[in-house]
Amino acid sequence: EAGVAQSPRYKIIEKRQSVAFWCNPISGHATLYWYQQILGQGPKLLIQFQNNGVVDDSQLPKDRFSAERLKGVDSTLKIQPAKLEDSAVYLCASSLGQTLMNTEAFFGQGTRLTVV
Amino acid sequence: AQSVTQLGSHVSVSEGALVLLRCNYSSSVPPYLFWYVQYPNQGLQLLLKYTSAATLVKGINGFEAEFKKSETSFHLTKPSAHMSDAAEYFCAVSDPYNQGGKLIFGQGTELSVKP
């Protein structure tokens, strides 16, 4: 079974530029998550989708971050304009259902963003 | 609100020694609890999870954890450390009733294994 695919693996941009990350979840997984992992910290949820609807985006900085999951499959996370503090690893994860009792969240390898 | 505290950002053990990584949680409802491992430049991999069944949970690679409600703890143990266990370990909590599958992670504990 193929895992969660993310691209690019690494990205370096200047502050105030824009950047986009792409995620392809495991086939059939209805729930998709984007997490931000700042160096030395645990991952923090940015947004959670159930199919193509948003379940939780309470910690997404909506003035600069946006995400979409058209057709309920692939997802794109965008930052515009980027700030220095956005430097982090952006992790995408997917699971079969919303509750993790009988399922598991599978994580991609992440995109490491450096803002200079 | 839920939260997780991992005691010790770095733990170092000798190969063959006991591994003990500490995790305490705060939750107003019976939580689901998880341990994930992250190797350098990799995503997170689930080691084990507690979802209100047996309080002693066995996971992959010889790891296990015990849910202790009275101590609000979910410490991760392994009887004998192997060099390949060197990685970052994250404890996480989830509230299945109000927050779906949202995981709230601790700060992580880096495990080093000395030969």
Side-chain angles (χ1 to χ4, degrees), chain A residues 9-10 33 35 37 40-45 48 55-56 58-59 91 98-110 112, chain B residues 32 34 36 38 40-47 49 51-52 88 90 94 96-108:
Chain A
R9 287 296 311 277
Y10 305 93
Y33 316 81
Y35 285 86
Q37 186 178 16
Q41 299 182 18
K44 180 185 77 173
L45 181 72
Q48 177 184 345
V55 174
D56 185 345
S58 57
Q59 297 195 82
L91 294 165
Q98 248 183 284
T99 174
L100 297 179
M101 182 175 183
N102 297 314
T103 65
E104 175 185 341
F106 293 86
F107 285 79
Q109 291 185 298
R112 182 178 298 276
Chain B
Y32 292 168
F34 307 80
Y36 281 85
Q38 186 176 36
N41 298 315
Q42 299 291 320
L44 282 78
Q45 179 184 10
L46 181 67
L47 280 176
K49 68 179 180 182
T51 56
S52 73
E88 185 95 21
F90 292 94
S94 174
Y97 304 107
N98 293 318
Q99 297 178 312
K102 173 181 177 179
L103 291 163
I104 297 170
F105 288 89
Q107 297 279 71

Side-chain angles (χ1 to χ4, degrees), chain B residues 11-66:
Chain B
V11 171
S12 183
V13 301
S14 297
E15 191 172 19
L18 172 71
V19 175
L20 171 60
L21 304 182
R22 299 178 188 273
C23 172
N24 288 89
Y25 69 91
S26 173
S27 178
S28 58
V29 298
Y32 292 168
L33 293 161
F34 307 80
W35 275 99
Y36 281 85
V37 61
Q38 186 176 36
Y39 298 100
N41 298 315
Q42 299 291 320
L44 282 78
Q45 179 184 10
L46 181 67
L47 280 176
L48 49 82
K49 68 179 180 182
Y50 166 79
T51 56
S52 73
T55 57
L56 182 62
V57 181
K58 295 187 184 298
I60 62 172
N61 301 338
F63 285 94
E64 63 181 37
E66 186 172 8

